Amino acid sequence: MTYDSTDDANGGSAGTGGGSRWHVPAEGLRAYARGELAAPMLWSADTHLTACAHCRGVLAEAADPVALDAGWERLDAELDAPRPGFLESLLLRLGVADHTVRLLAATPVLRRSWLGAVVAVLLLTVAAGHSGAATGSPGLFLALAPLLPLLGVALSYGPALDPTYEMAVVAPMHGFRLLMIRTVAVLGAVFGLNGLATLALPWYGAAALAWLLPALALSATGLALTARLGPVLAPSLVGGGWITLLLVGHAGRKAVTDPLAPFTAAGQGVSALVAVLAAGLLFLFRDRFDLNRTRGAGGGGGTA
């Protein structure tokens, strides 16, 4: 790049020029301020400006103060913006909208504390399954695994349980769609962990997968009832009903080695039917999630 040569009397001495008697031409500085200076002259100007106080002063006078302030604001916003994690970056690369990625990242039950607690619970149930392998049925694991997705979905939506609920209210999407996005994320995470726990019980064979259909039935039923009863009462009733069913089934068993009713062939069929019916009801009630979300935003504590 070409520089102007100035003498010491004109402010171009080593003392004022940071050790250089050469300066960027005034027209070049104006083009630099407008963002119109092209490489390689741009690279030379960048290098020179870091060491030349005189040219930095000329540049400050040539720059538009409003544009300069706007540039600093954009820089501050970029520096203060949270850096996306691995999963967020992956979703963005796959074409998922940034506001959707942010809502997923803010889902309470996808935080490490919740997932760590789920892993700890599953490890304990797997250990119990190892100790009870002689019975031929992983009873504790099968009883607990369907409750984890239900609890995760319940904690992912609603003003009483979601600390990011205000952000969800103003999100550019319907409440039902938001619920489905978070539900898929939660179920994907919890079902994945349950699946890994199932692999740790290989001697039970296909019987260790008997939790899958009940888990779908409980989650779908809890979501369908949430539209009517809210995000706290609905999963509480569904979870209580599941525990009651297991207790009744346990009391009615003829032998300790007999599987509980929900984990028999008939029980699996009933679970699949309940899951389908609940999914249909959830679709019919989908508009209530938008209505309840609006009430929650206006009153500060409505159901979701």
Side-chain angles (χ1 to χ4, degrees), residues 106-269:
T107 303
V109 297
L110 294 183
R111 295 172 183 163
R112 274 181 273 183
S113 57
W114 160 259
L115 293 177
V118 172
V119 170
V121 170
L122 289 176
L123 287 176
L124 291 175
T125 57
V126 168
H130 277 268
S131 62
T135 64
S137 176
L140 179 60
F141 176 74
L142 294 179
L144 181 62
L147 290 175
L148 295 178
L150 173 67
L151 180 60
V153 171
L155 293 176
S156 68
Y157 192 82
L161 303 172
D162 183 5
T164 62
Y165 183 74
E166 288 77 11
M167 183 177 72
V169 168
V170 298
M173 62 179 62
H174 294 296
F176 182 72
R177 184 186 174 196
L178 170 63
L179 175 66
M180 289 297 98
I181 288 174
R182 285 191 162 183
T183 296
V184 170
V186 171
L187 293 183
V190 180
F191 275 40
L193 293 174
N194 281 351
L196 292 176
T198 302
L199 294 178
L201 301 170
W203 52 87
Y204 293 116
L209 292 172
W211 60 270
L212 183 57
L213 287 175
L216 290 174
L218 293 182
S219 299
T221 303
L223 286 171
L225 293 179
T226 293
R228 292 283 183 178
L229 303 179
V232 176
L233 182 59
S236 299
L237 291 177
V238 173
W242 171 252
I243 295 174
T244 302
L245 178 62
L246 293 180
L247 293 176
V248 172
H250 178 73
R253 285 195 302 180
K254 296 180 180 179
V256 178
T257 57
D258 291 341
L260 294 174
F263 309 121
T264 61
Q268 293 289 290

Side-chain angles (χ1 to χ4, degrees), residues 34-142:
R34 295 192 300 266
E36 298 174 355
L37 197 62
M41 292 185 291
L42 174 63
W43 305 334
S44 300
D46 278 334
T47 302
H48 179 75
L49 286 168
T50 59
C52 182
H54 172 77
C55 286
R56 291 197 298 270
V58 176
L59 177 63
E61 295 176 357
D64 181 3
V66 176
L68 187 62
D69 291 341
W72 280 114
E73 291 177 0
R74 290 194 300 270
L75 179 60
D76 289 339
E78 181 65 23
L79 293 176
D80 293 339
R83 297 297 177 216
F86 172 76
L87 180 59
E88 294 178 64
S89 301
L90 178 62
L91 292 175
L92 289 172
R93 289 181 179 273
L94 293 176
V96 181
D98 56 351
H99 63 271
T100 301
V101 173
R102 181 56 52 192
L103 287 172
L104 286 175
T107 303
V109 297
L110 294 183
R111 295 172 183 163
R112 274 181 273 183
S113 57
W114 160 259
L115 293 177
V118 172
V119 170
V121 170
L122 289 176
L123 287 176
L124 291 175
T125 57
V126 168
H130 277 268
S131 62
T135 64
S137 176
L140 179 60
F141 176 74
L142 294 179

Side-chain angles (χ1 to χ4, degrees), residues 3-51:
Y3 295 102
D4 286 341
S5 176
T6 58
D7 53 29
D8 295 345
N10 292 328
S13 65
T16 60
S20 172
R21 297 182 60 190
W22 299 90
H23 302 286
V24 182
E27 181 59 33
L29 289 173
R30 286 191 290 269
Y32 186 91
R34 295 192 300 266
E36 298 174 355
L37 197 62
M41 292 185 291
L42 174 63
W43 305 334
S44 300
D46 278 334
T47 302
H48 179 75
L49 286 168
T50 59

Side-chain angles (χ1 to χ4, degrees), residues 261-282:
F263 309 121
T264 61
Q268 293 289 290
V270 171
S271 296
L273 179 61
V274 170
V276 172
L277 292 177
L281 290 176
L282 178 61

